[in-house]
């Protein structure tokens, strides 16, 4: 499928500053002034390595998500909703500590759920919805 154009108000977002999609999906889709990101996992884009430990994984996920948002014309300050997927809810406090440092001024709506398994057996994945204006 040609990703360059679905209609005049939809745009696929792709940046090398975040890991490439590991399946048939976009890093994000921009529709009018809204950005919908796919789930970000803690892959370091420059090396392809997975960060270790829940705090470092959360930090890498949010850096990756921030880079995708930047490529779309948005930023973490414009996020309206996040969904956090955790492999183990016992990691919630550690994840939340790092998450709070990225959303210190602006706190979007959020859901956090425990899941049985995540891609590449990572401990955390985060997706978001943001505005560009």
């Amino acid at each position: 499928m040609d990703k360059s154009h679905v209609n005049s108000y939809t745009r696929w977002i792709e940046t090398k500053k975040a890991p490439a999609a590991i399946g048939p999906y976009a890093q994000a889709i921009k529709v009018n002034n809204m950005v919908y990101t796919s789930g970000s996992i803690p892959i370091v884009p420059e090396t392809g390595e997975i960060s270790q430990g829940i705090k470092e994984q959360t930090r890498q996920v949010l850096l990756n998500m921030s880079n995708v948002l930047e490529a779309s014309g948005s930023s973490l300050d414009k996020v309206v909703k996040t969904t956090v997927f955790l492999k183990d809810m016992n990691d919630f406090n550690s994840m939340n500590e790092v998450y709070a440092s990225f959303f210190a001024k602006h706190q979007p709506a959020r859901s956090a759920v425990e899941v049985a398994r995540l891609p590449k057996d990572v401990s955390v994945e985060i997706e978001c919805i943001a505005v560009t204006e």
Side-chain angles (χ1 to χ4, degrees), residues 34-37 69 78-82 108 127-131:
M34 300 297 297
V35 179
Y36 302 85
T37 70
L69 289 170
K78 296 179 181 177
V79 172
V80 296
K81 171 76 168 81
T82 64
E127 65 182 24
C128 76
I129 301 170
V131 296

Side-chain angles (χ1 to χ4, degrees), residues 48-120:
E49 298 296 316
I50 295 174
S51 300
Q52 298 302 308
I54 187 63
K55 287 185 177 183
E56 185 55 32
Q57 284 196 10
T58 303
R59 187 186 79 70
Q60 188 62 55
V61 164
L62 291 168
L63 288 173
N64 291 343
M65 193 169 76
S66 177
N67 287 331
V68 170
L69 289 170
E70 183 181 302
S72 74
S74 189
S75 67
L76 290 176
D77 291 340
K78 296 179 181 177
V79 172
V80 296
K81 171 76 168 81
T82 64
T83 304
V84 178
F85 303 96
L86 290 167
K87 187 171 162 181
D88 184 347
M89 196 55 83
N90 290 318
D91 289 334
F92 181 84
N93 288 337
S94 295
M95 175 281 300
N96 204 43
E97 182 182 323
V98 176
Y99 180 97
S101 72
F102 279 79
F103 292 104
K105 297 177 193 172
H106 167 73
Q107 298 172 341
R110 179 181 79 185
S111 300
V113 296
E114 182 179 83
V115 296
R117 193 168 182 202
L118 291 166
K120 299 195 176 275

